[in-house]
Amino acid sequence: VPELPEVETLRRSLEPVLVGQTVDSVRVLRRDVVVAPGDPPGGASRQRAPFTPAPLTPELLLDRAAIERLERRGKQLALVAADGRSVIVHLGMTGALLHTHEPRPRRHPPHTHIVWRLAGGSALRFVDPRRFGLVRAAPDGHANLWRSLGPDALSLRATELRTRAARTRRAVKAALLDQSFVAGVGNIYADEALFAAGIHPARPADTLVREETNRLACAIRRVLRDAIARGGSTIRDYRDASGAPGSYQSRHQVYGRAGDPCRRCRTPLTGTRLAQRATVFCSVCQRST
Ligand SMILES: [Zn+2]
């Protein structure tokens, strides 16, 4: 599942090939991965009852746009055009944006849902086998759509974390997974950061003292930066824009290691469920009070 480091790795790999390019044409092979203005916010694939999709013009997906920059907040990526239009990409479970120098293959690879042809002769494809990802058109820009997201985890400041933690009694891990609390901490990095900071995942967030929120903010930034430096974690299907897998998964201290010895104290790590997610921690190294 792509998390922040994978999306940031993707952003950095796409930036040099997309910025300054003009979109020559947009081809949508599957309308239901797109959310246009007027569509239900979760997109067509989340709807149980039949509904009529809103009109979708190529302009809504950056046709004829000059791509000015790629922005990321949490796990969302925005392609931003010079004229103010944006497209937000959510990779979901298995989504990928692939840059290719073969813009007109006889057949697109399986699960290709959108193809942007670029004036320079290359193309960008949105590919998503399981279709939990989506592409959201934001013709007036994406600032409004990102207003509900918390501060980006990669640049999270200790004071921001402290203020937010003091306002909720939820388990600190549940709070970290809430994208409106802080954007971009997924299950892997929540467990890794809490271990690095020596904080039990079930601690009510408002019981963290200043020293702990300082350590946690620092740990969150560090585990995310380390993962980015290694090209992200390839757990299942994640690839960067050129199709290369990441290598961070071999560095995990706790994630996926329930029952294995803690790398710090050798106590077998505890596996449990918290906030509906598999959670691994060390009952000795991570303080519950
Ligand atoms: Zn330990």
Side-chain angles (χ1 to χ4, degrees):
V1 180
E3 293 205 26
L4 182 153
E6 293 77 36
V7 180
E8 178 62 14
T9 301
L10 177 67
R11 190 190 73 77
R12 291 178 187 182
S13 66
L14 286 175
E15 201 168 46
V17 291
L18 293 187
V19 169
Q21 290 265 15
T22 301
V23 176
D24 240 2
S25 68
V26 185
R27 186 158 167 229
V28 176
L29 293 94
R30 268 203 88 113
R31 170 66 179 83
D32 64 4
V33 303
V34 180
V35 181
D39 279 338
S45 53
R46 304 284 189 290
Q47 304 308 307
R48 299 241 169 95
F51 74 100
T52 310
L56 178 65
T57 60
E59 288 72 27
L60 286 170
L61 292 178
L62 303 183
D63 191 31
R64 299 282 134 199
I67 298 174
E68 187 179 76
R69 63 187 188 278
L70 276 68
E71 283 181 25
R72 183 194 52 74
R73 172 94 68 93
K75 303 174 209 176
Q76 300 186 27
L77 184 68
L79 312 186
V80 186
D83 62 13
R85 285 179 282 168
S86 295
V87 154
I88 299 174
V89 178
H90 303 241
L91 296 178
M93 306 265 293
T94 55
L97 277 176
L98 297 171
H99 183 250
T100 170
H101 291 283
E102 195 192 7
R104 295 173 192 274
R106 191 169 299 163
R107 277 198 62 153
H108 289 293
H111 311 296
T112 299
H113 305 316
I114 304 176
V115 181
W116 290 268
R117 288 208 180 100
L118 305 170
S122 62
L124 183 69
R125 298 192 191 111
F126 178 67
V127 178
D128 189 1
R130 294 189 60 189
R131 281 185 286 117
F132 286 104
L134 44 86
V135 171
R136 192 182 297 278
D140 302 319
H142 58 284
N144 252 339
L145 294 167
W146 279 3
R147 207 148 46 187
S148 60
L149 292 176
D152 186 63
L154 189 58
S155 51
L156 179 66
R157 287 178 298 141
T159 49
E160 288 174 316
L161 179 62
R162 184 159 58 246
T163 313
R164 286 164 177 265
R167 287 199 297 244
T168 179
R169 314 203 66 175
R170 285 178 297 174
V172 59
K173 176 166 177 186
L176 290 181
L177 293 177
D178 176 353
Q179 299 299 298
S180 67
F181 182 84
V182 44
V185 180
N187 201 39
I188 300 175
Y189 301 105
D191 280 7
E192 293 297 320
L194 287 164
F195 175 78
I199 296 169
H200 192 291
R203 278 277 296 283
D206 63 355
T207 66
L208 298 180
V209 298
R210 176 185 291 248
E211 196 208 337
E212 288 173 315
T213 48
N214 286 352
R215 276 208 311 270
L216 183 56
C218 182
I220 289 169
R221 295 192 308 261
R222 192 176 59 238
V223 297
L224 294 171
R225 282 190 196 131
D226 281 355
I228 291 167
R230 290 174 177 81
S233 303
T234 299
I235 299 298
R236 205 171 300 154
D237 296 310
Y238 162 77
R239 295 291 185 274
D240 72 8
S242 64
S247 68
Y248 185 70
Q249 65 277 13
S250 62
R251 307 277 299 191
H252 294 157
Q253 301 292 307
V254 285
Y255 182 83
R257 299 191 63 240
D260 291 353
C262 171
R263 296 202 208 273
R264 231 179 250 162
C265 74
R266 313 309 292 167
T267 303
L269 296 172
T270 306
T272 181
R273 282 189 87 73
L274 210 159
Q276 288 96 50
R277 306 297 299 275
T279 297
V280 185
F281 63 95
C282 175
S283 58
V284 173
C285 295
Q286 293 176 256
R287 289 187 49 130
S288 57
T289 52

